[in-house]
Amino acid sequence: MSRKPGIRDVARAAGVSVGTVSKVLNPASSANIRISEATRGKVLALAGELNYTANYGATLLRGRRTGTIGFIANLPDEFNSPVISSYQMRILNGLSAAAQGKGYQILLISGSDYSSFLEIKRVDALMLINFRLRDNQKLSEMIGMYRTFNERCCPYVVINNTCTELPVPSVSVDNVRGMELTAAHILAKGYESVGFAGEITDNLQQHHLERLAALRKCLRGTGTAFPEELCMLGTACGIPPIPRTGAFNHRDGLEAMRRLAQSGNMPRCLVCGNDDIAQGVICMAAQLGIRIPEELAVIGFDDQTDSAYWNPPLTTVHQPLEEMGCAACEYLFEKMENPEAFKQITIKPTFMERMSG
């Protein structure tokens, strides 16, 4: 049996050192950029001719970095949805852009046992997105994983952390600030009554609960009516639970709008837990002949990339998801260089006034 070509064979054929071959075949290495294009081309060509590929396992055994950040794409079991949503994709875009600037690549991970990727050194760092459910059946398991990561000073970060049992490095949007901006807009417009359309389920995301509570607090004492019966959130509003078809659900907005119209008690402005719910509201309003914004103002939260092109364009809170991904990546690199680093970053949203409200 013929011997498989090794790195020394490539180096000998190219007339360069083993170290030079290693740098050329490791695109994540900062030393790679110091190799001339002529040398790089010759090494790559000869490696191809000899059918040589780098031994990834040997690289890990030598304790070197993988040049890879793991991105956990899992959604909770309650969400019957694709592996990755548009919400996650925007965060991933920010992460990827920042990682590429450091010569790193992103590994998309789907599955339950993602903690092992750090333990076996398949990745150098992990980024997780936490869809914060009120009743999270895997919370104790997650806390155990975070505790292990903390004890080992592992570089990881959580988008939208909800863990209160122990400190967790995180990047989150300021929901309270988003509702302060929303309330200021409502008062400036003089809308005399407000409703809220959120998820119609018995296991709510913490985001929706936080946004509703913050909006109530901001409008308290202003003279703007915000009665409980105009709050379409959870199952207390009388709508049967709607099966989850993703992290965000258009049907929540459809059914919330239908129920408000049937009740005959329509608010002047309807604030929605996210843009997808707002889109469902606008769709049902069109079916019912309710004019937006003349009869009903609609305000969303997220500012999806296409929200400015709806009919009418959506007034919404802009959640800077790409910026969150970038900030998370910058923290991970800091953590890799300084194991004692720890940050909980809060990103401020902005308000986008358009035609719907």
Side-chain angles (χ1 to χ4, degrees), residues 29-346:
S29 170
S30 59
N32 186 293
I33 62 174
R34 295 195 289 271
I35 305 297
S36 71
E37 288 302 321
T39 299
R40 180 182 288 105
K42 181 165 64 172
V43 169
L44 291 174
L46 286 167
E49 290 177 15
L50 295 172
N51 197 27
Y52 170 77
T53 55
N55 188 332
Y56 177 76
T59 297
L60 297 184
L61 289 173
R62 289 194 295 270
R64 291 168 56 184
R65 289 181 178 174
T66 67
T68 305
I69 294 174
F71 180 84
I72 311 304
N74 291 26
L75 290 173
D77 294 339
E78 288 85 348
F79 298 150
N80 177 24
S81 64
V83 171
I84 189 165
S85 66
S86 59
Y87 177 94
Q88 294 169 302
M89 183 59 72
R90 287 179 56 195
I91 295 173
L92 177 58
N93 286 340
L95 170 68
S96 180
Q100 285 182 354
K102 297 284 189 178
Y104 263 66
Q105 61 186 350
I106 306 301
L107 177 65
L108 187 64
I109 302 172
S110 178
S112 57
D113 190 20
Y114 44 78
S115 63
S116 64
F117 279 72
L118 274 177
E119 295 173 4
I120 66 173
K121 298 184 179 179
R122 177 63 184 86
V123 297
D124 296 329
L126 278 178
M127 192 178 93
L128 306 88
I129 299 180
N130 186 5
F131 289 90
R132 306 185 299 171
L133 299 178
R134 180 168 56 186
D135 179 20
N136 186 348
Q137 298 178 356
K138 296 185 177 181
L139 182 59
S140 60
E141 179 182 332
M142 292 172 63
I143 291 172
M145 181 182 66
Y146 294 156
R147 182 171 288 111
T148 299
F149 285 170
N150 288 352
E151 291 171 353
R152 299 178 182 177
C153 292
C154 293
Y156 78 104
V157 64
V158 180
I159 302 292
N160 296 327
N161 169 50
T162 187
C163 181
T164 58
E165 285 77 5
L166 73 165
V168 171
S170 61
V171 178
S172 303
V173 69
D174 189 339
N175 282 316
V176 172
R177 179 57 180 162
M179 289 298 100
E180 288 174 349
L181 295 171
T182 300
H185 178 77
I186 289 170
L187 296 175
K189 287 287 189 177
Y191 297 138
E192 65 278 5
S193 61
V194 174
F196 187 88
E199 294 181 315
I200 311 300
T201 176
D202 50 10
N203 193 11
L204 296 165
Q205 289 187 63
Q206 290 293 335
H207 272 320
H208 292 251
L209 295 169
E210 289 176 6
R211 291 167 190 171
L212 175 60
L215 184 61
R216 283 197 185 284
K217 183 177 180 180
C218 290
L219 292 177
R220 190 173 297 130
T222 64
T224 300
F226 194 2
E228 187 65 35
E229 59 268 23
L230 295 183
C231 178
M232 301 289 107
L233 181 68
T235 53
C237 63
I239 304 175
I242 299 173
R244 301 296 89 190
T245 57
F248 310 114
N249 198 332
H250 295 91
R251 277 192 61 198
D252 294 324
L254 288 168
E255 298 305 325
M257 186 64 198
R258 192 197 311 274
R259 174 55 62 93
L260 286 170
Q262 289 174 346
S263 72
N265 189 14
M266 185 71 65
R268 180 62 186 86
C269 176
L270 189 59
V271 177
C272 302
N274 57 53
D275 284 4
D276 279 344
I277 292 174
Q279 190 172 36
V281 166
I282 291 172
C283 179
M284 181 54 67
Q287 295 179 40
L288 298 172
I290 297 172
R291 296 175 300 154
I292 295 175
E294 292 83 0
E295 296 176 275
L296 175 68
V298 178
I299 300 175
F301 198 111
D302 279 343
D303 193 21
Q304 294 181 8
T305 53
D306 60 348
S307 295
Y309 304 99
W310 295 357
N311 184 21
L314 183 66
T315 294
T316 187
V317 176
H318 175 73
Q319 187 170 191
L321 300 177
E322 292 83 0
E323 181 183 341
M324 292 169 67
C326 182
C329 186
E330 290 174 354
Y331 165 73
L332 290 175
F333 282 119
E334 181 180 349
K335 180 70 172 180
M336 281 188 267
E337 297 302 324
N338 175 19
E340 300 302 318
F342 177 86
K343 289 184 178 179
Q344 291 181 322
I345 303 167
T346 301

